[in-house]
Amino acid sequence: MQLHLFGAATPTGEAFRQLAAAATPDWSLHAYSRNAIGGVHPADFSTPHAFHPAGDAAAPGLWISFGPIWLLAPFLEHLAHHHPERLSGLRGLIACSSSSAITKRFAANRLDRELAARLTAAEDLLIASCRRLGIPCRILRPTLIYGQAGPYGDHNLSRLIGLMRRWPLLPLPEHTGLRQPIHATQLAAVALHLARQLAGSGVDSVLGERIALGGDSILSYRSMLQALQQALPPTDPARRCRLLSIPNRLFLLLASPVLLVSPKAFEAVLRMGADLAGFSASHQLLGQPAQAFPVLPLAGVQAQPRRSAR
């Protein structure tokens, strides 16, 4: 079996490469990225006519993509219509989308609504293309992705850590919503698990074609920040940042000027109070014990001793 990995130069792509090398040594892995990096084949979703799969195009293979799904979908559609011989060995596809397709569908600002629509349209096109090709397709919709894998780190929770390092005081609403962050290695493990199912007896139909996916812990926004602080080295300045609780109405009043500058940023402030959790937990799909948040390593943070799972 051949694995064709797109989006290799990402935290999840790098984590997938490491996991696949250890768990499936008899499979051949061909990694692709639009950036020229060592040991990776070039592949630009914007130029599908220039793409030629590595290895034997006729040999059975699976596509796993952590690249932008709105670029992957027309990329596959073009190849299916104009270069079907390059897909002759394709036996299944696993693509990464985003939970934003769900959570931002009814956002107040236009940019977030357009993002949700673009994600959903890409998912629809990808599923339609796979059905015409007669291959199974599974689309992962992960929630907040974080963590470090090799040289690649996230730009989500690492930004929050950066804020806590710069600010001695971080105001938060008194009541914050729920989060279910997923580490890049957890997301990669689920993708590899599905790939092994596709290569064997097939994916459990109960899961459906779109899988909303989160980490193993559901915690409030405030608790998430506190857990991040506790996972940092004792000398990290972010640990000294005080999380100041402000009554929700007063917090929104104080944040209201942001609306004049950036409606998108103001909506991000509002989302602190929203519950963006309740997705399938990675450990449930993998049939493994739950991992406590945060899973290490964190982006830009020196490794700390691992505490036991809750």
Side-chain angles (χ1 to χ4, degrees):
M1 179 63 66
Q2 297 184 117
L3 294 179
H4 298 272
L5 172 65
F6 299 90
T10 63
T12 312
E14 176 63 23
F16 186 92
R17 293 176 71 184
Q18 296 175 10
L19 291 174
T24 57
D26 54 330
W27 291 8
S28 59
L29 175 64
H30 306 290
Y32 305 86
S33 175
R34 65 179 179 180
N35 301 316
I37 57 177
V40 173
H41 304 284
D44 191 335
F45 286 159
S46 64
T47 57
H49 59 277
F51 173 73
H52 293 272
D56 183 358
L62 302 174
W63 279 20
I64 296 91
S65 175
F66 299 110
I69 193 172
W70 57 87
L71 299 179
L72 170 68
F75 176 79
L76 178 64
E77 181 77 356
H78 179 95
L79 290 175
H81 280 290
H82 300 285
H83 305 284
E85 73 283 356
R86 302 179 191 177
L87 303 175
S88 59
L90 187 58
R91 296 293 181 267
L93 183 145
I94 299 166
C96 186
S97 181
S98 171
S99 62
S100 293
I102 306 169
T103 60
K104 295 185 178 180
R105 184 179 175 187
F106 301 107
N109 74 87
R110 177 178 55 84
L111 292 177
D112 281 344
R113 291 196 306 273
E114 288 178 350
L115 172 61
R118 181 168 58 164
L119 289 168
T120 302
E123 293 174 0
D124 292 342
L125 177 58
L126 204 59
I127 290 172
S129 297
C130 289
R131 287 176 179 173
R132 285 194 296 271
L133 290 168
I135 61 172
C137 173
R138 291 298 180 267
I139 295 174
L140 298 174
R141 288 173 156 180
T143 183
L144 193 63
I145 304 173
Y146 72 98
Q148 182 91 18
Y152 308 108
D154 77 275
H155 298 289
N156 294 315
L157 297 190
S158 59
R159 288 178 176 171
L160 293 176
I161 293 175
L163 286 177
M164 291 190 291
R165 284 172 175 163
R166 291 193 299 271
W167 296 357
L169 192 69
L170 185 62
L172 293 174
E174 186 176 14
H175 301 289
T176 56
L178 300 177
R179 294 296 186 271
Q180 193 178 354
I182 182 168
H183 195 276
T185 57
Q186 294 176 306
L187 176 55
V190 170
L192 181 59
H193 177 71
L194 295 176
R196 297 175 79 166
Q197 288 186 341
L198 280 179
S201 58
V203 177
D204 186 353
S205 60
V206 174
L207 291 175
E209 291 175 310
R210 305 177 216 228
I211 304 169
L213 182 66
D216 299 343
S217 300
I218 295 179
L219 60 171
S220 71
Y221 194 92
R222 179 187 180 87
S223 297
M224 181 181 71
L225 295 182
Q226 290 173 328
L228 283 175
Q229 286 181 312
Q230 293 302 311
L232 298 174
T235 56
D236 195 300
R239 293 189 62 139
R240 297 193 294 270
C241 178
R242 182 185 174 192
L243 305 179
L244 178 65
S245 292
I246 298 177
N248 286 52
R249 291 186 179 183
L250 177 58
F251 180 85
L252 292 178
L253 177 63
L254 296 174
S256 59
V258 177
L259 179 62
L260 301 176
V261 179
S262 172
K264 182 177 176 64
F266 184 70
E267 183 124 6
V269 172
L270 293 179
R271 278 200 299 272
M272 290 184 187
D275 289 339
L276 306 179
F279 307 118
S280 298
S282 58
H283 79 279
Q284 294 173 335
L285 296 180
L286 296 171
Q288 298 176 354
Q291 293 179 282
F293 176 84
V295 176
L296 303 179
L298 297 173
V301 178
Q302 193 173 13
Q304 285 286 96
R306 175 73 268 180
R307 63 184 184 276
S308 60
R310 289 191 291 267

